[in-house]
Amino acid sequence: PSASTPAANVNRGVCAEARHPMVSEEAFAWLCSWQEKQVAAGSKTFLRARRSPSREPRRIPRMVMQTARSPGEELANNGKWIGTWMDSNPTYDYMLLDDADCTEFVAKFCLAPETQAYHAVQTGAQRADLFRYFWLREFGGVYADTDTEIRLPLATALQPNASMVSGRAMDSDRSEEHTSELQSLAGS
């Protein structure tokens, strides 16, 4: 099976990596539970890192997170771009969260005013924008829109001591709906 298929992550231990120092035990337990559910369901929404990272410590945790209203539709529509994140970053876990996952996360880890703001937002895209900040605050890692292609591996693009990186580059050879390189990255 290819790296992008669920069978590729079945033989790897879910949450086998040590908890990143910035992640609380409660958040790590939620993340492990979510990953275990995805593996058990044979879902394409979680892919365990296929290679062990170098021993060089990094401040930004090695995980890529994306969101989609309907992961199946998103993989059908933007699978080519999503695949670049998986294929270019074999030392990173990959996660594609749906609306229900995001709502569960917000209910568990956000303060009441944050939860109210999340539910008050009018569009799914706006909710996804707000959600990514909550996620990055709790876990760190890398967030990218699903129509974003990465052309440089994160191991090369992110300096080991970086705690926050953000970028956006439009590719003039493609439609405005497709962005290339780094959309939004953060961690601490």
Side-chain angles (χ1 to χ4, degrees):
S2 75
S4 301
T5 62
N9 62 30
V10 171
N11 295 328
R12 310 275 314 201
V14 175
C15 280
E17 300 298 320
R19 179 175 58 87
H20 192 279
M22 75 169 281
V23 178
S24 72
E25 288 185 32
E26 181 182 21
F28 186 69
W30 183 90
L31 182 63
C32 291
S33 175
W34 181 88
Q35 291 175 349
E36 289 168 359
K37 287 183 218 172
Q38 306 314 303
V39 171
S43 175
K44 294 182 180 180
T45 60
F46 169 66
L47 178 66
R48 166 61 69 204
R50 299 178 315 278
R51 281 196 346 231
S52 295
S54 69
R55 295 191 189 270
E56 181 178 47
R58 292 190 172 263
R59 291 183 67 191
I60 297 177
R62 290 180 175 97
M63 71 171 105
V64 174
M65 185 276 296
Q66 296 183 306
T67 61
R69 180 179 49 81
S70 168
E73 287 179 29
E74 203 65 35
L75 287 164
N77 294 333
N78 291 319
K80 178 179 178 180
W81 315 128
I82 292 169
T84 65
W85 290 90
M86 295 178 199
D87 296 339
S88 297
N89 301 293
T91 61
Y92 283 69
D93 286 349
Y94 174 81
M95 292 160 276
L96 178 61
L97 281 71
D98 66 16
D99 285 350
D101 298 326
C102 295
T103 300
E104 177 186 334
F105 174 90
V106 168
K108 184 144 184 92
F109 296 105
C110 292
L111 300 172
E114 295 169 333
T115 303
Q116 290 169 349
Y118 180 78
H119 292 294
V121 173
Q122 298 295 313
T123 68
Q126 291 169 332
R127 259 189 306 285
D129 288 343
L130 186 56
F131 174 78
R132 77 175 123 189
Y133 297 114
F134 296 149
W135 176 275
L136 292 171
R137 175 187 68 198
E138 196 67 38
F139 291 113
V142 175
Y143 168 83
D145 286 342
T146 57
D147 63 352
T148 303
E149 175 183 17
I150 189 165
R151 296 183 181 170
L152 186 64
L154 291 168
T156 303
L158 300 177
Q159 296 297 315
N161 62 348
S163 61
M164 171 69 184
V165 179
S166 179
R168 182 176 177 93
M170 294 300 288
D171 188 332
S172 61
D173 295 337
R174 302 182 202 267
S175 73
E176 288 183 15
E177 295 178 8
H178 170 74
T179 56
S180 65
E181 300 305 326
L182 306 177
Q183 172 69 16
S184 180
L185 312 174
S188 64

